């Protein structure tokens, strides 16, 4: 049989890839790739248990187990045998309705099922939005620094230009709105905010969210609100959904059950249009979203079918227990790092599961930068922390405090010993 491909012809050039292309793609920084490199430094002969402060998936720890309500809901959906078929591209209607109702509880402009698209985790919701935006010629998008590197990786894949604005550590990581105005131009299509914050553990105030919306309006762009940590708030500021400002500028909210219900492996997320003035609709964005989703595979139908019961019947005790655990962990982390000379923590985390701390390598002996710090820390103390460069800030560290309380205390103790041992002699 000859289909036009002879084995001799099959060379990398045949497919249009060069070694350089492959290298370029592999060079995209993701949290996963950086953590893989850090963990490769772990010393297998070290008898100390490994402590992971690096990632945002605490589901393996006993104090971060999901609620039995969620497990029972999935089991019931699966056993019913009613959800073994394909789901529509936008998701099954009862799940879309339940998500609309669930999110509407905290919104002035209520959502309907039509505003909700079910995605494979929040990750796919991000993929969908960025891919849709990248179809506009010369478009650029504004991303926070520090941020969540998947946005950069995905935008680069879609050839969507990225421009960064800073979050200001001295101002509880608020958006530098002057910078936003300075970097935007007529090709800017959207600004991304992540609230509650990853990697900063901050929560934006009502006033600040309103100012972000007003800036977006002034620039004629939409807001993409990553609220994957919605309601994981344990400080002074309550979590307020960006959707409440959608009459000022249109908002696309992305989220999932991954973080709040501690089931990131279930891959159930959403993309939600907060568009009371039909601006996104008039500009054809919705048609694009549907076209794109028709090309994707979506979350398992029985997980979708479990969503109404999960959202409607999870009791508040489950949420408050998780919030209390996170608040205690944030306190321990903040209080015990305060007196480490090489580390500065600008503000106590108020949400999500992370804190960003500044590393002063000038007071450390034989530590080049954040990557070197984290590699040596893994090697010497079996503690894994994410170097800040992975989220856009060199010589900072992102610490995930969503770990078992005993491991948190032990891990911070080792981190402090490491800093002490590497401190420059006066
Ligand atoms: C974890 C995370 C995501 C991805 O969420 P999934 O539901 O697991 O796909 C998206 N954005 C941010 C900021 C995250 O931390």
């Amino acid at each position: 049989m000859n289909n036009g491909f002879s084995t001799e012809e099959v060379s990398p050039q045949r497919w249009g890839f060069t070694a350089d292309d492959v290298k370029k793609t592999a060079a995209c920084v993701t949290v996963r790739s950086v953590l893989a490199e850090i963990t490769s430094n772990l010393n297998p002969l070290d008898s100390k248990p490994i402590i992971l402060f690096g990632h945002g998936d605490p589901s393996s720890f006993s104090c971060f187990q999901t609620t039995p309500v969620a497990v029972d809901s999935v089991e019931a959906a699966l056993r019913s045998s009613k959800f073994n078929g394909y789901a529509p591209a936008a998701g099954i209607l009862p799940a879309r309705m339940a998500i609309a109702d669930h999110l509407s509880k905290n919104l002035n402009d209520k959502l309907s099922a039509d505003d909700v698209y079910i995605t494979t985790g929040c990750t796919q919701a991000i993929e969908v939005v960025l891919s849709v935006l990248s179809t506009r010629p010369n478009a650029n998008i504004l991303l926070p620094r520090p941020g969540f590197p998947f946005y950069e990786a995905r935008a680069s894949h879609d050839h969507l230009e990225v421009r960064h604005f800073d979050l200001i550590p001295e101002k509880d990581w608020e958006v530098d709105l002057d910078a936003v105005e300075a970097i935007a131009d007529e090709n800017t299509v959207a600004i991304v905010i992540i609230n509650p914050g990853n990697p900063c553990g901050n929560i934006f105030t009502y006033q600040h969210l309103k100012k972000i919306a007003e800036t977006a309006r002034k620039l004629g762009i939409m807001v993409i609100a990553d609220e994957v940590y919605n309601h994981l708030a344990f400080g002074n500021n309550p979590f307020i959904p960006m959707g409440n400002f959608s009459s000022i500028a249109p908002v696309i909210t992305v989220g999932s059950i991954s973080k709040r219900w501690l089931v990131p492996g279930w891959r159930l997320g959403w993309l939600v249009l907060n568009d009371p003035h039909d601006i996104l609709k008039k500009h054809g964005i919705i048609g694009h979203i549907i076209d794109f989703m028709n090309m994707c595979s979506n979350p398992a139908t029985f997980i979708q079918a479990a969503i109404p019961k999960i959202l409607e019947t999870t009791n508040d005790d489950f949420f408050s227990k998780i919030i209390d655990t996170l608040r205690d962990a944030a306190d321990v982390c903040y209080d015990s790092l305060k007196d480490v000379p090489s580390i500065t923590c600008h503000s106590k985390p108020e949400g999500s599961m992370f804190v960003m701390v500044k590393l002063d390598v000038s007071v450390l002996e034989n530590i080049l930068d954040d990557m070197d710090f984290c590699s040596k820390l893994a090697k010497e103390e079996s503690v894994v922390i994410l170097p800040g460069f992975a989220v856009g800030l060199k010589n900072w560290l992102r610490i995930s405090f969503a770990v078992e309380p005993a491991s948190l205390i032990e891990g911070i103790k080792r981190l402090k010993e490491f800093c002490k041992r590497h401190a420059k002699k006066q």
Side-chain angles (χ1 to χ4, degrees):
M1 196 177 73
N2 185 348
N3 56 7
F5 296 96
S6 78
T7 35
E8 291 91 301
E9 274 178 284
V10 179
S11 66
Q13 287 75 24
R14 169 108 208 180
W15 311 107
F17 296 117
T18 65
D20 262 3
D21 290 332
V22 175
K23 217 156 62 193
K24 212 157 56 197
T25 314
C28 263
V29 171
T30 62
V31 170
R32 275 190 203 171
S33 64
V34 175
L35 284 178
E37 198 172 333
I38 300 288
T39 44
S40 71
N41 291 286
L42 288 166
N43 174 5
L45 301 175
D46 194 337
S47 60
K48 290 194 288 289
I50 297 163
I51 296 178
L52 302 172
F53 292 152
H55 64 333
D57 177 3
S59 63
S60 60
F61 303 122
S62 64
C63 65
F64 291 105
Q65 292 303 298
T66 194
T67 166
V69 171
V71 178
D72 294 346
S73 308
V74 172
E75 189 192 342
L78 182 59
R79 286 198 185 279
S80 76
S81 297
K82 284 194 244 162
F83 305 103
N84 294 335
Y86 290 120
I92 62 172
L93 189 59
R96 297 175 77 190
M97 268 162 62
I99 292 166
D101 289 347
H102 173 73
L103 297 178
S104 291
K105 280 186 202 142
N106 300 92
L107 293 172
N108 310 322
D109 289 305
K110 305 296 176 204
L111 300 165
S112 76
D114 290 343
D115 300 317
V116 177
Y117 298 82
I118 297 186
T119 55
T120 309
C122 182
T123 303
Q124 195 195 27
I126 298 169
E127 265 171 36
V128 173
V129 193
L130 296 195
S131 304
V132 165
L133 294 177
S134 73
T135 57
R136 180 180 172 302
N138 304 318
N140 69 69
I141 180 170
L142 312 181
L143 298 182
R145 181 175 48 213
F148 185 62
F150 181 72
Y151 284 92
E152 280 81 356
R154 184 68 208 188
S156 146
H157 175 271
D158 291 336
H159 306 288
L160 175 63
E161 184 191 337
V162 161
R163 299 182 182 183
H164 288 104
F165 58 87
D166 287 327
L167 304 179
I168 309 168
E170 295 81 7
K171 285 192 175 172
D172 291 335
W173 299 103
E174 283 193 345
V175 172
D176 182 348
L177 289 169
D178 293 334
V180 168
E181 290 198 34
I183 59 173
D185 65 12
E186 69 281 4
N187 290 318
T188 303
V189 288
I191 176 172
V192 172
I193 59 159
I194 303 171
N195 183 49
N198 176 10
C200 304
N202 60 313
I203 304 263
F204 291 137
T205 61
Y206 180 94
Q207 280 312 322
H208 191 60
L209 290 169
K210 187 157 177 249
K211 278 190 199 155
I212 293 170
E214 283 161 355
T215 306
R217 183 191 186 95
K218 193 168 160 188
L219 298 171
I221 63 178
M222 72 174 86
V223 180
I224 297 167
D226 184 329
E227 295 179 354
V228 76
Y229 293 97
N230 70 353
H231 299 284
L232 291 183
F234 38 82
N236 296 325
N237 291 316
F239 162 72
I240 297 162
M242 189 72 206
N244 277 317
F245 305 92
S246 57
S247 56
I248 304 175
V251 176
I252 293 186
T253 303
V254 295
S256 72
I257 59 168
S258 301
K259 310 291 164 71
R260 196 176 181 208
W261 271 268
L262 303 159
V263 288
W266 291 11
R267 311 309 302 130
L268 193 295
W270 49 78
L271 182 161
V272 172
L273 307 168
N274 304 89
D275 187 26
H277 302 317
D278 286 341
I279 297 173
L280 301 175
K281 201 170 171 182
K282 278 178 207 148
H283 286 81
I285 306 251
I286 296 179
H288 268 340
I289 289 176
I290 296 166
D291 288 347
F292 189 83
M293 292 200 67
N294 274 325
M295 296 187 290
C296 300
S297 81
N298 43 13
T301 312
F302 64 89
I303 304 275
Q304 299 192 34
I307 279 295
K309 206 165 147 216
I310 294 176
L311 299 186
E312 284 151 24
T313 62
T314 298
N315 59 40
D316 287 338
D317 291 351
F318 166 71
F319 296 128
S320 25
K321 194 178 139 259
I322 299 296
I323 292 290
D324 290 345
T325 309
L326 289 173
R327 183 187 298 109
D328 290 348
D331 285 349
V332 166
C333 210
Y334 183 75
D335 293 340
S336 46
L337 291 176
K338 258 194 318 222
D339 55 346
V340 182
S342 45
I343 287 176
T344 312
C345 187
H346 282 90
S347 42
K348 192 147 130 178
E350 296 205 326
S352 83
M353 320 174 160
F354 307 102
V355 61
M356 278 298 276
V357 298
K358 192 170 184 178
L359 185 64
D360 181 0
V361 285
S362 75
V363 300
L364 296 171
E365 196 78 67
N366 205 16
I367 300 283
L368 289 174
D369 56 17
D370 52 345
M371 184 68 189
D372 195 32
F373 181 95
C374 293
S375 302
K376 286 177 175 150
L377 179 70
K379 190 168 175 188
E380 295 173 27
E381 297 290 348
S382 298
V383 172
V384 176
I385 293 184
L386 187 74
F389 90 88
V391 293
L393 276 193
K394 195 173 162 67
N395 290 341
W396 287 68
L397 306 170
R398 186 192 77 171
I399 301 173
S400 167
F401 47 77
V403 296
E404 289 292 345
S407 309
L408 181 67
I409 291 167
E410 168 68 16
I412 290 180
K413 195 177 123 224
R414 290 191 215 162
L415 170 66
K416 289 173 91 163
E417 278 161 11
F418 177 86
C419 291
K420 210 163 160 186
R421 195 163 64 244
H422 287 268
K424 273 190 184 151
K425 310 287 171 286
Q426 311 287 6

